[in-house]
Amino acid sequence: MSTDATTRRTRKRTRRFRAFAVAFTAVAAILAVVGLAGATANVVQGPRVTGVQVDPAAAAASSGARLIVTTSQPLAEVDPSQVTITPATPFAVDTSGRSVGVRFTLPLWDDTEYKVVFAGVTGAGAGPAATITETFRTPPAEVFLLQRSGGDDAIFRTDLTGEQARPVFRHPHIEDYRATSSHLVMSVRTDDDEAQLIVTDLDGKNERTLKLPGEGFVSNLQTADRGELIGYTFSDEDLSHDGGRESTLFVASTNDSEADAQPRAVEVAGADARVSEYQFVPDSDSLLLLSFDGSLLLTSGADAAAAPTALGFAFGIDGIARGTSAAVVMRPEARAVIDLNDASEEPLVAAAGKGLITSVTPLTTGGTVRASAELDGASGQPTGRTIVGFVGDDGATRPLMDVPNTDAVLQTCVSPSERYVAVLVAPDAVSNGYDTYLLPLPRKVETHILNLSDGSEVVALAGSSISWCQVPPG
């Protein structure tokens, strides 16, 4: 090969390399300018939303749901004063990296549009502030109800109009049921008059049975607010003076992975083993129980070895406000409110006006819903009428429902969001006889759903044991 040819090729390669280098440098410069412009725009515009996570159905079903907003840059800490939620609801705020979230501390209202505004949001490196606005709508509410009949009993799922009611589970003899976040749990009696606990999905599918401690009787079925934990009291069928379990409290899980697990007895040292009443403490694994000897005890539902906390004597447990540690109990002298965190206690606020209290439901947002038997002003004797009302923390009373003396109030419950009150009524109580179940109910019952804000009736549904209730009727 000649020297001239070699020289020409070398010059050609050099020119190509120089062209590539110039082009590469130009592209790199353009990218740098674009990147700088993007970064500058980020700083100039403030944080921009790049993603939103929220589950409206979960937010309406239970407390603790979150709305999480992810932005284009790391954020400075967002203070709760920068957040506005409409309609107003309790919340907590947390900031982490490029995300800011709100946790709803109460279930949200059903079929409602919520607007969440984060004002004055800035990047971690300062720069301009941005206002972030997100909206979402919760779905309409659905509830479960028990209907007993001369044929098969049924659990119905319905909206709050009653027009979309549909049976999801049928059985010849349903004593009681409860709904968890994922399952229905039915306490039934078989054709051989044996107790069974049947678990299904919320649509009534994938039926299976839970193991019981033995042959006997199940009562006082309840569910915890969290997880898939249930509780019930159990008595042996062959109970006699010689021994046997009577009203022993058991806990079990409805999770599919624990279907074959044995239920665990809740044994409390130093007290009568028989349990007359109990309730799960919200947002914990604890149980508040009342033994046959009147001992009020706070114990663990998960740790059998944990020592219980003795809380004195009581005649009954009215309820525990969802999401709180405030329990209303009946002391020998009067009703009291106990803080289960530190065992401090204060009297239940007296309501304006006269009436004999028959039930108290404490509310997370303050105040209580009470059912009271009206007293005659002259004689002081009950007139037969029942007044269901809201009693504020100052004792001011707002009537919600006036039940005539021909009817009987069997139970009052509040929806998880505390938007509604459900009142279970037996109409024509004198002629409305009870059935012969272990948990007897009048043959005709009505569940009246009221707006807590003003007492206006939303709907009256045939059936009992609305899934908002944490304990059985009676």
Side-chain angles (χ1 to χ4, degrees):
M1 182 180 293
S2 67
T3 303
D4 290 342
T6 302
T7 300
R8 285 195 299 272
R9 289 183 179 179
T10 300
R11 288 174 179 173
K12 190 174 182 179
R13 284 197 298 269
T14 300
R15 286 195 297 272
R16 283 200 300 265
F17 176 78
R18 286 174 179 173
F20 170 78
V22 171
F24 177 81
T25 303
V27 171
I30 292 171
L31 291 175
V33 170
V34 171
L36 180 61
T40 303
N42 246 353
V43 173
V44 171
Q45 295 176 4
R48 293 177 292 107
V49 175
T50 60
V52 179
Q53 299 177 50
V54 65
D55 185 341
S62 61
S63 62
R66 293 177 179 271
L67 178 144
I68 300 173
V69 177
T70 303
T71 67
S72 56
Q73 57 182 284
L75 299 176
E77 192 76 19
V78 176
D79 189 83
S81 63
Q82 296 173 248
V83 182
T84 303
I85 301 179
T86 308
T89 187
F91 65 90
V93 182
D94 58 84
T95 311
S96 177
R98 296 189 299 117
S99 297
V100 59
V102 293
R103 182 174 63 85
F104 306 109
T105 54
L106 269 183
L108 302 183
W109 284 15
D110 59 288
D111 199 15
T112 300
E113 183 173 280
Y114 279 84
K115 181 168 73 172
V116 182
V117 179
F118 302 86
V121 179
T122 61
T131 296
I132 297 172
T133 301
E134 297 295 336
T135 61
F136 63 92
R137 189 172 192 88
T138 55
E142 286 193 323
V143 297
F144 295 93
L145 287 165
L146 168 63
Q147 289 185 359
R148 291 178 179 170
S149 66
D152 280 353
D153 300 335
I155 306 296
F156 278 80
R157 189 173 193 169
T158 180
D159 61 3
L160 295 190
T161 68
E163 297 173 357
Q164 303 297 322
R166 59 194 184 280
V168 294
F169 179 80
R170 292 184 183 275
H171 192 276
H173 186 127
I174 303 176
E175 283 285 335
D176 199 10
Y177 85 99
R178 289 291 172 272
T180 71
S181 59
S182 303
H183 296 98
L184 293 175
V185 185
M186 279 68 60
S187 172
V188 306
R189 302 293 295 184
T190 68
D191 292 340
D192 297 327
D193 198 26
E194 295 179 348
Q196 272 190 348
L197 284 177
I198 298 176
V199 178
T200 70
D201 298 339
L202 292 178
D203 58 6
K205 297 179 180 178
N206 297 316
E207 179 178 322
R208 55 187 172 80
T209 59
L210 294 180
K211 286 189 175 181
L212 289 176
E215 295 183 358
F217 304 95
V218 171
S219 59
N220 208 357
L221 178 65
Q222 297 185 36
T223 61
D225 280 347
R226 298 290 183 198
E228 293 292 317
L229 192 67
I230 67 167
Y232 55 89
T233 51
F234 181 84
S235 297
D236 284 323
E237 185 175 304
D238 58 355
L239 185 66
S240 67
H241 293 294
D242 298 329
R245 293 167 296 192
E246 180 183 4
S247 293
T248 301
L249 178 58
F250 284 85
V251 293
S253 173
T254 63
N255 282 324
D256 295 343
S257 60
E258 300 178 59
D260 295 328
Q262 290 286 349
R264 185 179 66 78
V266 178
E267 299 176 354
V268 181
D272 193 322
R274 298 169 298 174
V275 173
S276 60
E277 296 182 43
Y278 75 96
Q279 286 200 25
F280 285 100
V281 178
D283 299 326
S284 77
D285 63 359
S286 297
L287 292 156
L288 181 65
L289 61 88
L290 184 64
S291 66
F292 270 32
D293 62 8
S295 299
L296 186 67
L297 301 158
L298 181 66
T299 188
S300 172
D303 185 1
T309 300
L311 298 172
F313 292 93
F315 289 156
I317 302 171
D318 278 299
I320 307 172
R322 284 185 171 97
T324 77
S325 58
V328 178
V329 302
M330 290 180 281
R331 293 295 197 192
E333 59 279 359
R335 280 179 166 86
V337 182
I338 303 175
D339 187 333
L340 299 178
N341 284 330
D342 58 14
S344 60
E345 184 173 332
E346 59 184 26
L348 179 68
V349 171
K354 295 182 178 180
L356 180 64
I357 299 174
T358 56
S359 70
V360 178
T361 303
L363 303 179
T364 308
T365 50
T368 58
V369 171
R370 305 184 193 183
S372 301
E374 182 189 57
L375 300 179
D376 180 78
S379 66
Q381 297 299 310
T383 65
R385 291 174 59 204
T386 301
I387 307 298
V388 178
F390 169 79
V391 179
D393 290 333
D394 59 355
T397 302
R398 173 166 43 84
L400 298 171
M401 185 176 183
D402 186 340
V403 182
N405 58 10
T406 55
D407 302 344
V409 174
L410 304 178
Q411 188 177 32
T412 58
C413 303
V414 177
S415 66
S417 67
E418 298 187 352
R419 183 178 189 177
Y420 306 110
V421 178
V423 183
L424 179 61
V425 175
D428 303 318
V430 173
S431 59
N432 189 2
Y434 278 70
D435 57 33
T436 58
Y437 286 50
L438 296 175
L439 176 60
L441 290 171
R443 298 188 184 280
K444 182 179 180 181
V445 287
E446 300 170 347
T447 297
H448 296 258
I449 298 179
L450 319 171
N451 280 302
L452 179 59
S453 58
D454 58 10
S456 59
E457 184 163 286
V458 177
V459 68
L461 301 169
S464 69
S465 312
I466 190 169
S467 48
W468 295 337
C469 297
Q470 296 169 295
V471 299

